[in-house]
Amino acid sequence: MSTTDLILEIGTEELPSHDLDAALESLAFRKGSPIEALFLSNNIKYSKASAYATPRRLILHISDIPLCQDMLIEGPPVRIAYDEQNRPTKALEAFLKKNNAAISDIIKPAAAGSGDLRVSIKRQDISNAGILPSALAKIAGLMNFAKTMRWNGTGAAFSRPIRWIVALFGDKVLSFEYAGIKSSNATRGHRFLGRDFIKVKNPCHYFKTLKKNHVVWDNNERRKIILSFLEKKRWHPNDELLSEVVNLVEKPCFIEGSFDKKYLQIPREVLLAAMSKHQRIFCLEDKNSALASRFAGVLNGAKKNTKQIIKNFENVLEARLKDALFFYKSDTKKPLTEWAQGLDGIVFYKGLGTIHDKAQRIKKIALFISRNYYPGIDENDIAKAAPLLKADLLTSMVREFPSLQGIMGMYYAKDSGYPDAVSRAISEHYLPRFASDKLPSTDMGSLFSLADKFDNIVSYFSIGKSPKGNWDPYALRRQAIGIILILMETKKSLSLSGVIDFCLEQYAGSETKSKCRQAIQLFLKDRLVSILKAKGQYRHDLIESVMASGADDIYKTCLKLNELNSIINSPEFEQARVIVERTHNIVAAAGISLPEIDEKLFSQEQENKVFGGFNNTKDEFMALCKEGLFSKATDNIAAALSGDLGDYFDKVMVNVDDKRVRANRLALLSAINKLYTDNIANLSLIAVENKDNSRKGPAVKPRQGK
């Protein structure tokens, strides 16, 4: 079968850096992605699909698309296509007329009344060149950008105005229109170094033309070129800036400059922020890996006047660093405690007091957590650090560089003579700022980070500002993720309900504390489930089964998950699963309130055996759970009860006519079920593996006994 390549190029005004990543994500041919579904729905086959993005163009290159295809066109459902006498209806006649087909063209017409089965006709050698234009016209609409704009009367929304579209299927131009732009075979080169309106003959010629006109279209290739240069120059690694710069240029060119050594006395974070935030330049290091008074920059293809460009960069950087040095000297003229006094005049949020009030709440929460869950931290240090956590928000440096909040507080605290533990806690209490950010490295940092984040979540929930849908303006989901990651990393057991209740006490007049606590617990539990599923280390049914036993202690929940995951394929785990599942199903099916177990009502040997095994293993099982040895506890209950309980279900009739005996037998089974479910996991939610290795359940009910 003859095949050829497809090129789609969407040329735009300069795209924001972050939108290139979003575009590449949208153009990725992954299983289940919208763009893959679009090609599948049109029965368009291919061997490889690649997407590229530069500031000025988005490119989709698809290889080896057949020139023609056999197409199956579906018509109306059979129940509509034929009447009761199995004669064609007007709907079927209209379908055949529309596709220029006859009754004889219909493939395997089913009998009338065959549900949703549809009549269909087959067309052979349909040219993909006729199918592709309508598909390509939909691709731009599939792209998701954080912000879009409309620039003409068509109403089309895109990150930036579209200026040209190239659509080539082999040497044939695919004609369609999007956002008022007609597709053609005319592309454009680099804005400054290349030519405009260059006609290309086919996909191969297209890439040669881009190369000739100074466009490095492959993002990975641009990154490789830039990284190679920076490594030669001993750059101070900054991956975030590197990713941004890769998306800002079509043809990387490089400059090097320098600045006065006196600015090296400024805190390094300030120096790096001044370079990266405003000028997108990289600081270089000396042979000892210390910051040097030199920088490297990446230009978009400039080859002329580089001396003047370097001079301009140096002048702007000089002004920025001069300001930074002034701010630093000005801020350090008074101690951090004086800056903190101004927090009383800044409202944190309407109804939630000032930032000074927030600092006081953080202090109380930190002391509560420290006394109950983080022993060993000096309370004097907590009392010193709490009022200073937000003090740097008032300084000139943080007003100029908001990303340095906390970091400048650390420097100013050191300058004011506070101990290292206090200054580092001021810096680390903001961590983690996002999901992949580093975590606090000290206990004090973790403690204040937890206290700050708990206060944020509880305070906004208490005034009804909880996240809804995509609406999360106070970044409370990010705060919740921070709490979870810290507790997972530090391996600290902490009762969420205990801390939430204490936090709610800080807000006088709250009459819905119980509802608020439940909502926050559910909110944190949902975030924990998302994190665990995203890790991809655990089966989703195992996560759900552990969560069913509660997630009030995040570290303990993760410990249960790890322990059960390590034995999930063992015979003991399967025995424990069967115990929990069978007892769960028979008790749940009864649906009655159960009395205390009465040994006097036991009439069969198997009842006494199971009850004896339950009593003998209960204390050891609880002791193992208390030590966090959940896999051993699982082995323990499986060994103690599996055999006797199987015999019990075979020989003892649970649902007898005598209501007292029936309730007593159910009470025994309920006690066994609760012993495991309340302390480890509800294994009745574990999916059962079928013979074909597929998993089924937990909807499948096992035998429920007699």
Side-chain angles (χ1 to χ4, degrees), residues 404-459:
L404 297 178
Q405 61 181 356
I407 295 171
M408 295 317 301
M410 176 186 70
Y411 280 105
Y412 296 152
K414 283 182 180 177
D415 190 71
S416 299
Y418 284 96
D420 188 57
V422 171
S423 59
R424 290 183 69 178
I426 293 172
S427 171
E428 292 187 340
H429 90 279
Y430 284 107
L431 300 178
R433 291 181 171 87
F434 44 89
S436 58
D437 195 13
K438 61 183 179 181
L439 299 175
S441 62
T442 63
D443 282 350
M444 275 270 283
S446 299
L447 176 67
F448 277 114
S449 180
L450 289 172
D452 187 30
K453 290 170 175 55
F454 270 114
D455 180 68
N456 284 335
I457 293 173
V458 175
S459 61

Side-chain angles (χ1 to χ4, degrees), residues 59-133:
I59 304 167
L60 182 62
H61 178 211
I62 304 178
S63 305
D64 302 325
I65 297 177
L67 296 178
C68 301
Q69 63 166 292
D70 295 337
M71 180 181 286
L72 200 65
I73 305 174
E74 286 192 335
V78 171
R79 57 186 167 76
I80 295 175
Y82 297 93
D83 62 15
E84 293 177 351
Q85 285 75 41
N86 207 23
R87 293 175 302 193
T89 62
K90 288 187 177 180
L92 179 57
E93 290 172 354
F95 167 69
L96 295 173
K97 185 179 178 181
K98 178 183 175 183
N99 291 283
N100 194 25
I103 291 287
S104 57
D105 294 328
I106 296 175
I107 299 172
K108 295 180 181 178
S114 298
D116 291 332
L117 289 175
R118 291 174 177 270
V119 297
S120 57
I121 58 175
K122 191 173 185 179
R123 284 284 178 264
Q124 294 183 325
D125 295 332
I126 301 296
S127 172
N128 274 331
I131 300 171
L132 280 166

Side-chain angles (χ1 to χ4, degrees), residues 351-352 361 455 458-459 462 503-510 513:
L352 297 177
R361 293 198 300 267
D455 180 68
V458 175
S459 61
S462 70
C503 293
L504 284 170
E505 290 174 7
Q506 311 300 309
Y507 303 96
S510 175
K513 287 181 180 176

